[in-house]
Amino acid sequence: MPLKRTRFRAPAAAGAATALAALAVLAGGALTGCSADSDDSLAYASDYAAHEPLRVVGYPSRGSLDVVQKAVWRLADGDAEALADLAAEKGDAAEPTARNWVKAFGAAAKGEVTADFYDEGSTRQVVVLYFAGSGQVKEIEARVGEDDAWAVTMNEPDPSDASAKPTWAPPKPGGTGSRSSAR
C-alpha cells in the first residue's frame, strides 16, 4: 500500500517569525559588507576615479605603491593634513613637511606623475617622483612605519629642503638606476 503524504499548514505567526529571521540574516550579511575593508575599497575607488593615474617604473611592493599613490593623491588634493597622516614618524616634522610638499608640488601633482621605484621593496623603497607638467623631480622614501604599515618619511620642515631636486636622480623616469631600466 503506497504511503500518503499529508501537508500541514504552518500557523501564520510561525511564517512571520521565519520571515523576520530571514530578514535579520540578510540585513546582518549586508551590514557585514559595510566593514572597514569595504570603506577602504570605496575610498580607494573614489580616489582613483578622481585623480590622474600614477605612472610606475621599477618594481614597487604592494605597500610601497599604495602609500606613494596616496601621497600623490593628497598632494593633488592640497590636503597637507591627510598627507601628514601618511608619515612614518608622527613627530614635529611631519606637518610642516606635508605643508611644504603641498606648496611645492601640489599643483603639479594634479597632472601626469611618474613614480620611479628603486631597490627592492620588502621594508623600504626610494622613489623618485617626476611631475611632467612642471618638470619638477622629488625624491621620497616609502617604508614600513612604526605600526608595521607602509608610510612615507617626512623630515623636511625647511621649505628649501622639501622642494630640492635630488642630485643623483636621472633626468627622466627609467634612467640609470631603477631596476626596470637594467632589463
Side-chain angles (χ1 to χ4, degrees):
M1 176 170 169
L3 292 175
K4 184 177 180 185
R5 293 183 185 222
T6 306
R7 290 189 174 196
F8 294 99
R9 299 198 114 205
T18 303
L20 273 172
L23 184 59
V25 168
L26 288 173
L31 290 175
T32 302
C34 295
S35 67
D37 288 342
S38 298
D39 292 345
D40 289 345
S41 294
L42 182 59
Y44 181 87
S46 296
D47 268 339
Y48 189 85
H51 297 92
E52 181 84 19
L54 181 68
R55 287 145 179 86
V56 176
V57 177
Y59 297 96
S61 70
R62 181 173 185 238
S64 65
L65 177 60
D66 182 58
V67 76
V68 169
Q69 177 69 82
K70 287 177 182 174
V72 171
W73 287 340
R74 301 300 72 89
L75 283 170
D77 294 342
D79 192 343
E81 185 177 327
L83 181 59
D85 287 343
L86 299 175
E89 296 93 13
K90 309 295 188 221
D92 293 338
E95 288 183 24
T97 298
R99 284 192 302 272
N100 291 336
W101 287 6
V102 166
K103 185 176 181 181
F105 305 104
K110 293 177 182 179
E112 182 180 317
V113 180
T114 301
D116 197 345
F117 289 79
Y118 287 77
D119 309 317
E120 62 87 27
S122 59
T123 59
R124 176 181 313 263
Q125 226 168 356
V126 172
V127 182
V128 179
L129 300 175
Y130 293 86
F131 300 92
S134 66
Q136 293 172 288
V137 179
K138 174 67 182 154
E139 173 189 354
I140 64 173
E141 180 186 62
R143 68 181 185 85
V144 176
E146 295 170 352
D147 59 355
D148 291 334
W150 278 88
V152 177
T153 301
M154 292 187 185
N155 194 16
E156 298 172 337
D158 182 326
S160 61
D161 290 340
S163 61
K165 184 176 181 177
T167 57
W168 63 270
K172 294 182 179 182
T176 58
S178 69
R179 289 179 36 180
S180 62
S181 66
R183 294 180 193 238

